[in-house]
Amino acid sequence: MALINRNFRTGLLTVIAAFMLAIMPLPDWAVKFRPDWVTLVMIYWAMTIPDRIGVISAWLAGLMLDVSYGTLLGQQAAGLVIVIYVIHMQHQRLRAASLIQQAIVIFFLLLIKQLLVLWVDGILGRAPDIWYYFMPTITSTLLWPWLYLILRDLHRKFGRIPAYS
Amino acid sequence: MQSIFSQGPSASARMIILVLASLALMTVDHRWHQLEVVRSALSTLLYPLQYTVDLPIRFYYWGEEVFSTRQTLLKKNREYETRYLENRVQLQKLDILQRENARLRQLLGATPETAERLLIAEIIKVDVDPNRQLIVLNKGSHNDIYVGQPVIDAQGVMGQVIHVGPLSSTAILITDISHAIPVQVDRNGLRAIAFGSGNINELELRNLPHNTDIRVGDTLVTSGLGNHFPANYPVATVTSVKRLPGELFARISAKPLALLDQGREVLLLWNNKADNPLAAGESPKTDGQTKIGTPADKDKPKSATDKQPSKQASKQKSEQ
């Protein structure tokens, strides 16, 4: 139990850090390239501790994202739930995959999430310029291998990976 | 540790339920604006994060204040004193003009303009949705901020509040793609609606015919129609007027006067018209809807509240 709690606490702290990175002010040119920090961190935890982090935590995180971004409540949450659902279902396969393969899967998942958010924006009649809209997807994908290694180290140091993984 | 036979609904069922819940939330949020309570509660949770992210910038400003030299302080002080004197002289004139205006209004039988309440708020430097133009302010319902409240700076109108939390609030800028503000040309009183373009230094005036009397350099001020923004605050200057023969309407763009992407302090106005019985029927929630919606929505508050202008507006429309 203590182990699970420690895992969960580490997870919570990294998600909070991801939120801070997500709202940190960046120069104008860089804003368009901001990686989707919260989704990436949630993906990592859904992959490594699927018994603790699942679709419900993803939904709550998504709602917080909606509040911080000023999007409709549920807009980011729905996308995040779908991404985490796929990760949750495939976590054993993904864990065995190489970092590059993981990154490719994540690329497509993030693409789906962005499309869902864009779709809702389109319905509301405020779809933005398309050319840079998918930049975060690309930067997030490129960032994944590094983020994975950092989170794994943090996880080992503060949370310890359970024996079964 | 890990239960093999997991309890409760399966992950698929949970996913479907949550996606449906999200869809329901989005619909309720968009159509009826009933979720402000949830949003403001969640924003309270978020406030410490926003505050922490903003801390280095706060610290920078604080350092700038603490470590500024006596020389610069003296210089600034002198500068402010001169400006204060200048403003005083102008205010003297304004005082007389105001009294004269009140007298003339009395003669005309028009309602006098009452004073407005002001509050200075600071922008919390956090980034929001990169595709929209929103700012986060450090004042919330704790300071009586309400949804739909006008936000201005020393130069002109910036936008209006759209979400209020207990300690912070979110405001939408006039250049956001889903925002529109009723304006009039300072020079001749021509009314128009300035739509946000999604670009931080551009507003668009749509649906004005080719023969409209509008020129580059004209100042646009709020018209006060729609009972949202108080009248006669500067909004933008016209930067280009293109009359393309192939198009139905002239293509007019304007540059906002307020420094939308600079500065740290903004002013929040309490529009006295909120006490107006005509506007009382409009709750702040429907206010948000009327301003941030489809163009068709935008005409509603006007026809409901300002009788005469709406007539003129419809006349203008029928001419088009």
Side-chain angles (χ1 to χ4, degrees):
Chain A
M1 205 60 210
L3 176 67
I4 288 179
N5 278 342
R6 269 180 75 181
N7 267 337
F8 189 68
R9 207 168 49 209
T10 321
L12 195 65
L13 284 178
T14 51
V15 171
I16 288 175
F19 264 103
M20 286 170 74
L21 284 171
I23 58 173
M24 199 170 68
L26 289 179
D28 275 349
W29 60 267
V31 166
K32 291 160 189 157
F33 299 97
R34 185 202 298 276
D36 200 343
W37 292 104
V38 176
T39 312
L40 286 179
V41 171
M42 288 305 288
I43 286 175
Y44 175 83
W45 292 110
M47 223 163 86
T48 43
I49 44 170
D51 49 328
R52 295 304 310 245
I53 302 290
V55 280
I56 293 178
S57 349
W59 192 63
L60 294 176
L63 283 185
M64 290 302 278
L65 257 190
D66 281 325
V67 174
S68 68
Y69 275 4
T71 40
L72 280 187
L73 276 182
Q75 197 175 347
Q76 309 260 354
L80 200 53
V81 163
I82 289 170
V83 170
I84 295 302
Y85 169 72
V86 176
I87 297 284
H88 193 87
M89 288 280 109
Q90 302 292 328
H91 70 269
Q92 279 162 334
R93 212 170 284 179
L94 270 172
R95 271 195 223 158
S98 74
L99 283 180
I100 306 291
Q101 284 167 327
Q102 287 178 0
I104 292 168
V105 173
I106 284 167
F107 174 76
F108 285 106
L109 287 176
L110 290 176
L111 204 64
I112 291 169
K113 179 176 175 256
Q114 284 294 81
L115 276 173
L116 279 174
V117 175
L118 180 68
W119 188 39
V120 176
D121 270 342
I123 292 171
L124 299 182
R126 53 179 184 221
D129 284 346
I130 204 80
W131 72 267
Y132 63 74
Y133 196 75
F134 295 100
M135 281 300 158
T137 315
I138 295 169
T139 47
S140 306
T141 311
L142 294 177
L143 195 79
W144 172 253
W146 284 273
L147 192 74
Y148 180 86
L149 294 178
I150 292 170
L151 283 174
R152 195 190 58 188
D153 286 352
L154 282 176
H155 193 179
R156 283 198 177 145
K157 197 156 184 205
F158 300 106
R160 240 184 327 140
I161 293 192
Y164 61 81
S165 70
Chain B
M1 195 191 315
Q2 188 187 22
S3 54
I4 298 166
F5 304 102
S6 55
Q7 308 281 309
S10 71
S12 313
R14 267 190 222 159
M15 187 273 283
I16 290 166
I17 291 168
L18 289 177
V19 168
L20 289 179
S22 310
L23 284 177
L25 275 181
M26 275 189 266
T27 319
V28 174
D29 197 16
H30 182 56
R31 292 283 158 136
W32 297 291
H33 301 265
Q34 291 297 317
L35 293 169
E36 276 307 312
V37 189
V38 183
R39 204 184 270 275
S40 82
L42 288 176
S43 81
T44 324
L45 283 176
L46 208 64
Y47 186 69
L49 290 188
Q50 291 176 330
Y51 190 85
T52 324
V53 167
D54 189 46
L55 256 189
I57 299 152
R58 206 173 278 258
F59 187 73
Y60 169 77
Y61 280 102
W62 177 80
E64 208 177 45
E65 269 171 27
V66 169
F67 297 115
S68 55
T69 57
R70 184 168 171 274
Q71 216 64 39
T72 36
L73 282 178
L74 275 177
K75 205 178 124 204
K76 262 194 182 170
N77 201 353
R78 223 169 287 138
E79 203 182 294
Y80 288 141
E81 255 168 31
T82 1
R83 211 180 295 167
Y84 173 71
L85 271 179
E86 284 170 11
N87 287 347
R88 276 294 291 271
V89 173
Q90 284 187 336
L91 270 180
Q92 283 176 6
K93 266 191 284 178
L94 184 76
D95 219 28
I96 297 164
L97 281 177
Q98 239 170 8
R99 247 172 285 154
E100 186 182 327
N101 192 310
R103 219 170 34 242
L104 289 173
R105 274 176 169 274
Q106 241 169 10
L107 284 177
L108 280 170
T111 48
E113 291 177 19
T114 47
E116 278 147 0
R117 213 173 117 203
L118 273 175
L119 177 75
I120 295 179
E122 271 180 32
I123 297 176
I124 300 180
K125 275 275 174 213
V126 292
D127 275 352
V128 283
D129 191 350
N131 303 310
R132 303 194 60 198
Q133 270 134 25
L134 307 175
I135 50 173
V136 182
L137 305 174
N138 73 342
K139 296 280 193 302
S141 52
H142 185 66
N143 302 83
D144 302 335
I145 309 294
Y146 60 89
V147 173
Q149 187 163 22
V151 180
I152 62 168
D153 76 356
Q155 267 72 36
V157 176
M158 291 186 80
Q160 60 176 312
V161 175
I162 50 168
H163 303 304
V164 182
L167 299 166
S168 63
S169 53
T170 311
I172 187 169
L173 298 179
I174 49 173
T175 50
D176 185 280
I177 202 151
S178 60
H179 193 269
I181 173 171
V183 293
Q184 61 181 13
V185 177
D186 197 17
R187 182 166 51 85
N188 53 13
L190 173 87
R191 277 183 306 279
I193 293 177
F195 290 84
S197 64
N199 180 347
I200 194 95
N201 44 33
E202 196 186 346
L203 288 167
E204 287 167 7
L205 300 186
R206 291 183 209 155
N207 306 336
L208 285 177
H210 290 307
N211 58 0
T212 320
D213 178 19
I214 191 162
R215 296 180 210 143
V216 173
D218 276 348
T219 308
L220 303 172
V221 299
T222 49
S223 61
L225 299 183
N227 264 347
H228 229 91
F229 291 95
N232 297 326
Y233 278 91
V235 178
T237 43
V238 177
T239 49
S240 88
V241 181
K242 279 185 204 144
R243 296 187 166 93
L244 303 173
E247 285 183 18
L248 215 50
F249 300 112
R251 218 184 269 176
I252 302 160
S253 52
K255 187 178 183 300
L257 286 165
L259 302 170
L260 296 178
D261 51 355
Q262 300 159 37
R264 188 157 172 82
E265 270 151 7
V266 300
L267 291 164
L268 288 157
L269 278 181
W270 271 264
N271 192 353
N272 52 60
K273 278 186 183 155
D275 313 326
N276 187 331
L278 273 174
E282 267 185 276
S283 74
K285 272 163 199 154
T286 55
D287 278 3
Q289 195 175 25
T290 50
K291 202 72 352 138
I292 312 151
T294 54
D297 281 339
K298 262 148 219 142
D299 289 333
K300 275 180 203 160
K302 272 183 250 164
S303 49
T305 48
D306 299 32
K307 289 270 151 46
Q308 207 191 345
S310 86
K311 240 183 246 165
Q312 285 172 359
S314 59
K315 208 168 39 175
Q316 199 186 4
K317 265 213 179 130
S318 59
E319 276 169 15
Q320 290 166 10

